[in-house]
Amino acid sequence: MTLPEKSRSTAGIVTTVGAGVVILMALTVLGTLAITRDDKPEAVASPATASAWDLEQAANDTEPEPAATTAAPGPTPAASDLTLTPKITRKQCFGSAGCHVDIKVEVGYAGPTLSEDDTWEVTYQVSGAESGPIVGTFELTGTKYDQDEISLSTRTSSTKISVKVTDIAGIPG
């Protein structure tokens, strides 16, 4: 027995609408689950039903993160361990008007061996400048340091220039 043409058309429409309603309901349920799901990883029920991706995610979630290791810092230099000496790199005097002087601070160290992994910021004060003390800093790592040149003016050509440590601070590595 065959259905009349009109009945076949109605049956197709009903089937299409019914499939659409089922799909719409499935999307609504999936959307609701996606919104209400928290960010905590779900436990994989069984390796037999889990995909390779699920197994990899579960393995990544259960591996403990490595503990942060910080090496024990080496010895801390003391101000008395450092000897700072001004090295005159250029000097131009103007009779009784004083001199224009460029210096670099040379560093001597007589303390315990410093670690190459630790860096220290050394603050110092230069005395003898006509305008007053000059404060500067340099970084000390192991036995290495980098020092910029300092320019100053003195009152007379016989003015003594001296440098002393005022502070030493560790720089986090």
Side-chain angles (χ1 to χ4, degrees), residues 118-139:
D118 296 332
T119 300
W120 305 94
E121 182 178 71
V122 179
T123 304
Y124 60 90
Q125 179 176 306
V126 178
S127 299
E130 182 177 31
S131 59
I134 298 171
V135 176
T137 61
F138 64 88
E139 289 184 3

Side-chain angles (χ1 to χ4, degrees), residues 70-163:
T70 55
T76 301
S80 60
D81 295 334
L82 292 166
T83 304
L84 304 183
T85 308
K87 177 183 179 186
I88 297 175
T89 58
R90 186 168 117 15
K91 183 175 184 178
Q92 182 178 10
C93 294
F94 305 99
S96 63
C99 300
H100 179 76
V101 181
D102 293 336
I103 66 168
K104 278 195 169 194
V105 177
E106 291 186 338
V107 179
Y109 181 72
T113 303
L114 297 175
S115 168
E116 295 293 326
D117 297 330
D118 296 332
T119 300
W120 305 94
E121 182 178 71
V122 179
T123 304
Y124 60 90
Q125 179 176 306
V126 178
S127 299
E130 182 177 31
S131 59
I134 298 171
V135 176
T137 61
F138 64 88
E139 289 184 3
L140 175 66
T141 303
T143 59
K144 298 175 186 155
Y145 68 95
D146 189 22
Q147 179 59 43
D148 294 330
E149 198 165 65
I150 301 167
S151 295
L152 57 99
S153 295
T154 62
R155 290 192 193 276
T156 68
S157 59
S158 62
T159 300
K160 176 107 169 114
I161 299 171
S162 62
V163 186

Side-chain angles (χ1 to χ4, degrees), residues 41-59 61-62:
E42 296 177 18
V44 177
S46 161
T49 60
S51 69
W53 187 84
D54 290 334
L55 292 173
E56 181 180 344
Q57 294 304 310
D61 289 341
T62 59

